[in-house]
Amino acid sequence: MISEFATARKIVQGQLDFSINDSDRLRQALDQIGWTHDDNDDGWVTIGIKPTGEKISWSQYHVRAVELAETINHFMAVPNVYFSQNSFYIPRRLSTNVRHFNALFVDMDYYKVDSLRDFLPEQIIGQLEDNFFGEYVPKPNFVLCSGRGLTLIWMIEAVPQAALPLWQVIERYFISQLSELGSDPLSGDASRVLRLAGTINSKNGEMAKILRVYDVQRKYTLREIQSEWLPELKPRNKDKKQASRRPRKTSENYYHIFTIYSLHAARLIDIKTLQELRTQAGDDCDGRREMMCFLYRYWVCCFRDDDKGSLEETLEFNSRFLKPLPEVEIKQDTASAVTAWKEWQKNFDNKGKLVGCPTQGKKLKEQWYSLAGYNYKTGTLIKLLNITDEEQKQMETLIGTREKYDRKNRERNARLRNECGLTPKQQQMENRLQSLRYLLREDKTQQEIADIMGVSTRTIRNYMKSIKNQ
């Protein structure tokens, strides 16, 4: 046993030290960390341990990405060490807290596929190279053997939290393309931690190691992957009559998946914003906490496809209320969110493609598809949570008709203004005043100026008043 109460926090803070003298194992770990988190990553990275047989079965702690390399050697002798591929803007490992998306990854549990159970990791890599890389998914930068399965890792140019929907839809696409080789549907989580190379997997005593390196100098971009590998994310048809009769495609409809993920991500951010606004105002959200936690857990479930992870995130969300609900109450009151999520899963086939549910009672020429699960209208959510007009100004999607029109008007006005912030009429007036200033410096009379500018002397006098008042 390593230590009766070994925790990630104690190791990071220097209270415990499990360093090793094996330079090869340490180099594996440092390479993996360096490839994933470069010097420009200013976020927090999670380090987690799960020492077998210990009284503390799982613990995690956060360090700055730039400090990760100098910290990691102290973990090398501990079995089952993990770290997050993406970094967080605060030291809390939640998918909605991601600061930088640094990588895409897919866990390959090929040993769970009957026909592949006896294959060696190198043989699975051979099949991937022969039949999948370059054909169904781009070639990863490197492949990690976790001690049992494989993890494919694509390094990407770091992008901020706003890229979460696109990152998620690409993850789902990669997982679906590799499903016949045992890709883990739960591996597509932005806050996921992966095993650290050079450390031991206690389930079989094998060392996690970098098994294949392709090109670690290159980083993909999400837009590059989207344009070259995913079906086109086409915009909706602006013709309402035509759009209302267009069916949702039943295969590879990644535009709709992207739209759904975008909505869920925006909903999660909005409900966190609502909590922060009310907390700052001294509002304990009494009478709304249960519904807010229920919605949060449901949307996280749909996003992560992971009921356990959604509960962890919901408990963290609950802890930020002025008066958090008891943990047992959260578990009971939000359990129906998991039931609704299981209904939501019926919208996808076994390869993760959106199929939806045929809508009953629609007499249209083409088949409609609705979505199972809870799909609240914006107006319903505003009423349920009693979101005020002032609060809506801080929301992304939880906005009413008045705020929507106000935003459209502001956008339209902004489009009409030039780089100086002037409308065409204002710019025309400014040009005339500039001409008048020039002509006045030429000591010309008002009548002469009026003749040159093609206006009356009265207009010239009004222009001169405007200049005087500026």
Side-chain angles (χ1 to χ4, degrees):
M1 295 175 64
I2 291 296
S3 173
E4 193 172 3
F5 293 104
T7 66
R9 181 181 65 82
K10 289 180 179 179
I11 298 173
V12 170
Q13 293 182 344
Q15 299 175 41
L16 297 172
D17 189 344
F18 299 107
S19 301
I20 60 174
N21 293 320
D22 191 326
S23 59
D24 291 335
R25 287 177 57 183
L26 181 58
R27 174 46 54 192
Q28 287 252 333
L30 292 175
D31 281 345
Q32 184 185 6
I33 289 169
W35 294 337
T36 309
H37 297 278
D38 59 30
D39 295 337
N40 296 320
D41 193 340
D42 57 356
W44 294 88
V45 177
T46 305
I47 302 179
I49 62 173
K50 193 176 182 180
T52 304
E54 304 301 324
K55 293 186 178 180
I56 300 175
S57 59
W58 168 259
S59 71
Q60 64 182 35
Y61 201 65
H62 291 80
V63 299
R64 287 290 187 181
V66 293
E67 301 169 353
L68 184 59
E70 60 190 60
T71 304
I72 208 64
N73 187 35
H74 304 308
F75 284 82
M76 295 303 295
V78 181
N80 308 317
V81 182
Y82 304 80
F83 78 104
S84 60
Q85 308 305 286
N86 300 320
S87 63
F88 309 96
Y89 68 88
I90 57 176
R92 291 192 179 99
R93 187 171 67 91
L94 303 176
S95 55
T96 51
N97 287 343
V98 172
R99 167 69 170 160
H100 292 299
F101 290 92
N102 299 313
L104 294 153
F105 38 81
V106 176
D107 281 343
M108 306 294 297
D109 297 336
Y110 65 88
Y111 53 87
K112 295 181 180 179
V113 180
D114 290 341
S115 60
L116 304 174
R117 185 169 296 148
D118 297 327
F119 279 51
L120 296 174
E122 291 82 358
Q123 292 175 300
I124 300 299
I125 291 178
Q127 288 202 25
L128 288 165
E129 290 175 340
D130 292 341
N131 304 312
F132 290 88
F133 294 164
E135 184 69 24
Y136 296 100
V137 296
K139 184 179 291 187
N141 296 92
F142 62 98
V143 179
L144 176 74
C145 178
S146 63
R148 300 181 74 193
L150 297 172
T151 302
L152 313 182
I153 300 172
W154 293 264
M155 295 153 48
I156 60 174
E157 294 287 348
V159 288
Q161 185 188 53
L164 177 57
L166 180 56
W167 185 93
Q168 196 70 57
V169 78
I170 293 174
E171 273 284 305
R172 180 179 283 274
Y173 181 77
F174 281 7
I175 291 170
S176 69
Q177 295 296 89
L178 300 169
S179 59
E180 65 183 82
L181 292 186
S183 58
D184 180 3
L186 298 182
S187 65
D189 171 21
S191 62
R192 190 173 182 82
V193 292
L194 300 182
R195 284 188 183 272
L196 178 67
T199 60
I200 301 300
N201 184 333
S202 65
K203 291 181 179 180
N204 57 7
E206 294 290 331
M207 184 183 75
K209 57 186 176 182
I210 299 170
L211 202 59
R212 192 67 53 87
V213 177
Y214 295 104
D215 183 1
V216 292
Q217 301 302 316
R218 181 206 176 160
K219 288 189 176 182
Y220 294 94
T221 67
L222 289 182
R223 290 299 181 187
E224 170 193 359
I225 294 175
Q226 173 201 329
S227 63
E228 294 186 13
W229 295 93
L230 268 67
E232 185 178 358
L233 302 181
K234 295 181 179 179
R236 291 183 183 274
N237 194 315
K238 294 184 178 180
D239 185 338
K240 294 183 179 179
K241 291 184 179 180
Q242 182 178 351
S244 66
R245 295 181 178 274
R246 188 179 64 190
R248 291 181 172 176
K249 296 180 181 179
T250 59
S251 64
E252 296 194 349
N253 195 341
Y254 283 90
Y255 164 67
H256 289 290
I257 295 177
F258 177 70
T259 302
I260 291 165
Y261 278 139
S262 297
L263 179 62
H264 283 164
R267 295 290 206 222
L268 285 169
I269 293 171
D270 277 350
I271 203 168
K272 285 177 63 179
T273 300
L274 182 64
Q275 182 192 57
E276 292 169 3
L277 290 172
R278 292 182 175 177
T279 298
Q280 292 169 5
D283 185 349
D284 61 8
C285 298
D286 188 32
R288 300 279 188 269
R289 290 171 298 177
E290 295 86 348
M291 176 56 68
M292 291 172 72
C293 287
F294 166 80
L295 292 170
Y296 194 88
R297 186 172 184 185
Y298 175 64
W299 288 328
V300 172
C301 264
C302 294
F303 215 91
R304 292 184 53 172
D305 282 338
D306 179 9
D307 57 340
K308 181 179 178 181
S310 72
L311 177 58
E312 293 173 355
E313 292 210 22
T314 304
L315 290 172
E316 172 64 30
F317 174 75
N318 174 63
S319 71
R320 295 197 291 277
F321 285 113
L322 287 177
K323 295 181 179 178
L325 294 168
E327 182 174 326
V328 64
E329 193 171 332
I330 290 293
K331 291 180 178 178
Q332 292 173 354
D333 291 351
T334 65
S336 56
V338 178
T339 304
W341 163 65
K342 290 180 180 177
E343 286 296 308
W344 166 261
Q345 288 182 306
K346 296 178 182 178
N347 296 313
F348 302 90
D349 62 17
N350 58 3
K351 290 190 175 182
K353 296 176 182 177
L354 180 66
V355 293
C357 299
T359 299
Q360 301 299 323
K362 295 286 186 180
K363 294 182 179 180
L364 299 174
K365 294 181 180 180
E366 297 175 291
Q367 179 64 64
W368 270 61
Y369 282 85
S370 63
L371 294 177
Y374 289 148
N375 300 283
Y376 292 98
K377 293 181 180 179
T378 299
T380 302
L381 291 171
I382 290 174
K383 291 179 181 179
L384 283 172
L385 302 177
N386 194 25
I387 304 175
T388 66
D389 291 345
E390 194 62 31
E391 289 172 336
Q392 289 176 36
K393 295 182 189 303
Q394 307 299 319
M395 302 288 134
E396 186 174 342
T397 62
L398 296 180
I399 57 175
T401 303
R402 179 184 298 177
E403 177 62 22
K404 187 181 297 183
Y405 285 154
D406 286 347
R407 292 187 186 186
K408 286 184 178 179
N409 287 335
R410 287 195 294 269
E411 290 174 2
R412 182 170 57 252
N413 290 336
R415 286 196 299 269
L416 291 174
R417 296 179 183 275
N418 58 23
E419 63 275 9
C420 298
L422 301 177
T423 63
K425 189 173 182 179
Q426 290 171 332
Q427 185 63 60
Q428 183 183 45
M429 175 59 71
E430 181 60 31
N431 292 340
R432 289 176 177 176
L433 295 180
Q434 289 281 19
S435 298
L436 177 57
R437 292 187 188 96
Y438 174 77
L439 293 171
L440 288 172
R441 288 196 295 270
E442 297 291 319
D443 294 328
K444 295 184 181 295
T445 65
Q446 290 185 12
Q447 185 60 56
E448 289 173 332
I449 295 173
D451 292 340
I452 293 172
M453 296 183 64
V455 295
S456 67
T457 54
R458 182 177 179 179
T459 299
I460 294 299
R461 287 193 292 272
N462 289 334
Y463 285 172
M464 291 174 70
K465 289 180 182 178
S466 297
I467 292 174
K468 186 177 180 181
N469 293 330
Q470 284 182 345

